[in-house]
Amino acid sequence: MFDYIYSFCLELGEAIRIPAFFVFLECIATIAGAVSGVRLSAAKQFDVFGAFIVGTGTAMGGGTMRDIILGLTPFWMTNPIYLGCCIFGLVWVILFRKWLVKQNNTWFLFDCIGLSLFNAIGIEKTLALGLPYWAAICMGCVTGAGGGVVRDVLMNEVPLIFRKEIYALAALAGGVVYVACHSAGWKVEACAIISSFVVIAIRMLSVHYHWSMPKMRAED
Amino acid sequence: MFDYIYSFCLELGEAIRIPAFFVFLECIATIAGAVSGVRLSAAKQFDVFGAFIVGTGTAMGGGTMRDIILGLTPFWMTNPIYLGCCIFGLVWVILFRKWLVKQNNTWFLFDCIGLSLFNAIGIEKTLALGLPYWAAICMGCVTGAGGGVVRDVLMNEVPLIFRKEIYALAALAGGVVYVACHSAGWKVEACAIISSFVVIAIRMLSVHYHWSMPKMRAED
Amino acid sequence: MFDYIYSFCLELGEAIRIPAFFVFLECIATIAGAVSGVRLSAAKQFDVFGAFIVGTGTAMGGGTMRDIILGLTPFWMTNPIYLGCCIFGLVWVILFRKWLVKQNNTWFLFDCIGLSLFNAIGIEKTLALGLPYWAAICMGCVTGAGGGVVRDVLMNEVPLIFRKEIYALAALAGGVVYVACHSAGWKVEACAIISSFVVIAIRMLSVHYHWSMPKMRAED
């Protein structure tokens, strides 16, 4: 069913077999993250270089935080394709500026795929290091939702995920499902696909029905 | 005098003997950090999830920065109790919202204990890696005061410790005392207790008498 | 032509031969970074301690980010001279507050030297770990321009390098030149000096002629 790509992980000292289809989705998701960061930078009239940095931070910030926390070399330093995706996202926004609004649904879909896929990758990588399930779920959320926090901190705004819609919570729910499948002995592909379905469904329903977490109430 | 708990440190490859009383204080201090972050988030009307992240960042941000800088696996990834303390802090704020103001003195005391204890832990962990005394003092300050900086950056505010009262300076003074005791060959418990006394005393006096560092003067 | 200093790198497990002249320049550049951070903090009326932290973050934030990403012990933890330079920068601003404006050109020159030198150090350190050329260029930019981002995030402002003048781009151009020289088999000193010349020239010309990157255009 799957073609495989062999990716060498420096620290684990072994090649990891990754379905080629996942790598394709990962590129799509990275581009979607970069586009999101670049568009917000453009709205603030950053220069081209600043927009590229914010786009890169959005696309790869979560995974970089994960790798730094886990003590691994950041994923994008051993394979140039991720930086290439970020450059592609920047160029896309510059070229198709006027049509981006019409593409909103597509980018939203790609962003959902990114959240679910990055979540699964974060969980798998953490489990591969022998860390416990609950730590893997945390690292999945960091991988999926961390990029948005990096973007908002760089743009000097209060992180969106603290205030709007269900985002990290979708990753959390997907993470619980992933770990449940994993502990039942299912294969990586099955865990990833089922948990991704959960993440994407929750995220889409929450945006469609304007679900959000209850707000905290101030003391006074 | 002390009961001991054995905590296994992955990187040092050996169990560290920690007085059980310290672990109890550490939990209290973690809860106090989380409560501080959650309360400020509530004042900004973050949602429950955002408040939890800010609370967790406040309670564990300093120690996480320390472990990342030292190249260790973050302390909270090998023991779920710290995340549990953060969840406890969140629930406490939600349940006792109206009585929190009356608890202000108690939370302030716990926060002081946290500053002094996190400071001592940061110093001890750095020295255990064979790094020099002055680097250990820096890591003590990062552990004790870093959480507040993480909180303020996430909430998009200028870090409080740059503008108000004596906070990190208390950790710095305590660090000097700790290192002096350590170089005199005293036991870990003695160093920690004496330096904690210094930190808590300075912090309490500075709040009571409104001590603050002199402000920088602008050039114009 | 050069006197050498031997600096021991923990992780590489060997002494690196560094021209003494480079170490002198590195101190000058560290002081310049600290002065820049402290001056901006003074304009915002931070207290002395806050100004010191912002100054230190400006001077050493880029190199610390690089070392954390590369999995190395931060450079300033094994040699106290860098912290000493930051303290020197703080004291200088306090003592010579009224004359700093007259020193603007000098500090600008030192800042340019810092950008070029930190860039070269970041590249060299990354290549020494066996990482690819393009990753080394990225790490050079992080080392050179990261401190300014840390400063602006700590001060709760939108990072300057996203909006003004050519800064990180100069580091990028210098990095390409460095890597070209390196792949031609030239010695470290030659690569560093030629790439530094490029960085300093671009930076000075861009400030003099008010060059800037084109701004992104908003969608509406």
Side-chain angles (χ1 to χ4, degrees):
Chain A
M1 180 175 172
F2 290 113
D3 282 331
Y4 289 96
I5 287 175
Y6 290 83
S7 165
F8 190 75
C9 179
L10 281 178
E11 284 80 5
L12 298 176
E14 58 185 69
I16 301 174
R17 212 172 62 147
I18 302 170
F21 184 60
F22 280 23
V23 177
F24 172 72
L25 284 179
E26 210 184 349
C27 290
I28 292 286
T30 303
I31 294 171
V35 165
S36 136
V38 171
R39 285 177 78 178
L40 287 170
S41 308
K44 282 207 158 188
Q45 297 196 281
F46 283 15
D47 66 26
V48 172
F49 185 85
F52 175 67
I53 297 293
V54 174
T56 304
T58 312
M60 315 202 301
T64 304
M65 279 167 59
R66 175 204 61 214
D67 287 341
I68 287 175
I69 289 176
L70 295 179
L72 306 173
T73 301
F75 65 100
W76 54 268
M77 291 190 77
T78 49
N79 186 343
I81 199 171
Y82 302 105
L83 265 181
C85 289
C86 293
I87 294 172
F88 184 89
L90 173 71
V91 172
W92 187 278
V93 172
I94 292 173
L95 290 183
F96 301 111
R97 184 168 60 89
K98 292 185 179 165
W99 294 274
L100 281 171
V101 174
K102 287 183 193 162
Q103 300 168 1
N104 267 350
N105 286 336
T106 312
W107 288 119
F108 173 66
L109 176 65
F110 288 172
D111 194 72
C112 291
I113 293 174
L115 179 63
S116 67
L117 190 73
F118 291 169
N119 187 41
I121 294 172
I123 293 170
E124 194 52 43
K125 233 175 163 175
T126 310
L127 292 178
L129 290 170
L131 286 160
Y133 278 136
W134 56 269
I137 294 176
C138 293
M139 285 298 100
C141 292
V142 165
T143 313
V149 176
V150 170
R151 177 195 65 207
D152 295 336
V153 167
L154 284 181
M155 297 188 45
N156 198 28
E157 302 207 336
V158 175
L160 254 187
I161 64 155
F162 295 171
R163 295 194 301 183
K164 278 193 62 170
E165 294 155 2
I166 289 187
Y167 195 88
L169 198 73
L172 189 66
V176 171
V177 170
Y178 190 104
V179 156
C181 296
H182 188 277
S183 66
W186 295 10
K187 279 168 56 171
V188 172
E189 290 86 357
C191 300
I193 290 170
I194 293 172
S195 76
S196 291
F197 183 80
V198 172
V199 174
I200 294 174
I202 293 179
R203 178 85 184 111
M204 288 198 156
L205 290 171
S206 82
V207 167
H208 190 259
Y209 293 106
H210 302 287
W211 289 347
S212 61
M213 295 286 288
K215 281 205 182 346
M216 297 291 291
R217 288 159 67 192
E219 286 168 38
D220 316 321
Chain B
M1 178 177 170
F2 290 112
D3 282 331
Y4 288 96
I5 287 174
Y6 289 83
S7 165
F8 189 75
C9 179
L10 279 179
E11 284 79 7
L12 297 177
E14 59 186 67
I16 301 173
R17 213 172 62 147
I18 302 169
F21 184 59
F22 280 23
V23 176
F24 172 72
L25 285 180
E26 209 184 350
C27 290
I28 291 286
T30 303
I31 294 171
V35 165
S36 136
V38 171
R39 286 176 78 178
L40 287 170
S41 307
K44 283 207 157 190
Q45 296 196 285
F46 282 14
D47 66 26
V48 171
F49 185 85
F52 175 67
I53 298 293
V54 175
T56 305
T58 312
M60 315 201 301
T64 304
M65 279 167 60
R66 173 204 62 213
D67 286 341
I68 287 175
I69 290 176
L70 294 179
L72 306 174
T73 300
F75 65 100
W76 54 268
M77 291 189 77
T78 49
N79 186 343
I81 199 170
Y82 302 105
L83 266 181
C85 289
C86 293
I87 294 173
F88 184 89
L90 173 71
V91 172
W92 187 276
V93 172
I94 292 173
L95 291 182
F96 301 110
R97 184 170 59 90
K98 293 185 178 164
W99 295 275
L100 281 171
V101 174
K102 287 185 193 160
Q103 300 168 0
N104 267 349
N105 286 337
T106 312
W107 289 118
F108 173 67
L109 176 66
F110 288 172
D111 194 72
C112 291
I113 293 173
L115 178 63
S116 67
L117 190 73
F118 291 170
N119 187 41
I121 294 172
I123 292 171
E124 193 52 42
K125 232 174 163 176
T126 310
L127 292 178
L129 290 170
L131 286 160
Y133 278 136
W134 55 269
I137 294 175
C138 292
M139 285 299 101
C141 291
V142 165
T143 313
V149 176
V150 169
R151 177 194 65 206
D152 296 336
V153 167
L154 284 181
M155 296 188 45
N156 198 28
E157 302 206 338
V158 175
L160 254 187
I161 62 156
F162 296 171
R163 295 194 300 182
K164 278 192 63 169
E165 293 155 0
I166 289 190
Y167 196 88
L169 199 74
L172 188 67
V176 171
V177 169
Y178 190 104
V179 156
C181 297
H182 188 278
S183 67
W186 295 11
K187 280 168 57 171
V188 172
E189 290 85 358
C191 300
I193 290 169
I194 293 172
S195 76
S196 290
F197 183 79
V198 172
V199 173
I200 293 174
I202 294 180
R203 179 82 184 112
M204 288 198 156
L205 289 172
S206 82
V207 168
H208 190 259
Y209 292 107
H210 301 286
W211 289 347
S212 61
M213 296 285 288
K215 281 206 182 343
M216 296 292 290
R217 287 158 68 190
E219 287 168 37
D220 316 323
Chain C
M1 180 176 170
F2 290 112
D3 283 331
Y4 289 96
I5 288 175
Y6 289 83
S7 165
F8 190 75
C9 178
L10 279 179
E11 284 80 6
L12 298 178
E14 58 186 69
I16 301 173
R17 212 173 62 148
I18 302 169
F21 184 59
F22 281 23
V23 177
F24 172 72
L25 285 179
E26 210 184 349
C27 290
I28 292 285
T30 302
I31 294 170
V35 165
S36 136
V38 172
R39 286 178 77 178
L40 287 171
S41 307
K44 283 206 156 191
Q45 297 196 281
F46 282 15
D47 67 26
V48 172
F49 185 85
F52 175 66
I53 297 294
V54 174
T56 304
T58 312
M60 317 202 301
T64 304
M65 279 167 60
R66 175 204 61 214
D67 286 342
I68 288 175
I69 290 176
L70 295 178
L72 306 173
T73 301
F75 65 100
W76 55 268
M77 290 189 77
T78 49
N79 186 343
I81 198 170
Y82 302 105
L83 266 182
C85 289
C86 293
I87 295 172
F88 184 89
L90 173 71
V91 172
W92 187 277
V93 172
I94 292 173
L95 290 183
F96 301 110
R97 185 169 60 90
K98 292 186 179 163
W99 294 274
L100 281 171
V101 175
K102 286 184 194 161
Q103 300 168 1
N104 268 350
N105 286 336
T106 311
W107 289 117
F108 173 66
L109 176 65
F110 289 171
D111 194 70
C112 291
I113 292 173
L115 179 63
S116 66
L117 190 74
F118 290 170
N119 188 40
I121 294 171
I123 293 170
E124 194 53 43
K125 231 174 165 176
T126 310
L127 292 178
L129 290 170
L131 286 160
Y133 278 136
W134 55 269
I137 295 175
C138 292
M139 285 299 100
C141 291
V142 166
T143 314
V149 176
V150 170
R151 176 194 66 206
D152 295 337
V153 167
L154 284 181
M155 296 189 45
N156 197 28
E157 302 208 336
V158 175
L160 253 188
I161 63 155
F162 295 171
R163 296 194 301 182
K164 278 191 62 170
E165 294 157 1
I166 290 193
Y167 195 88
L169 199 74
L172 188 66
V176 171
V177 169
Y178 190 104
V179 157
C181 296
H182 188 276
S183 67
W186 295 9
K187 279 169 55 171
V188 172
E189 289 85 358
C191 299
I193 290 170
I194 293 173
S195 77
S196 291
F197 183 79
V198 172
V199 173
I200 293 174
I202 293 180
R203 178 85 184 111
M204 288 199 156
L205 290 172
S206 82
V207 168
H208 190 259
Y209 291 107
H210 301 287
W211 289 348
S212 61
M213 295 285 288
K215 281 205 180 347
M216 298 291 291
R217 288 159 66 192
E219 287 168 38
D220 317 319

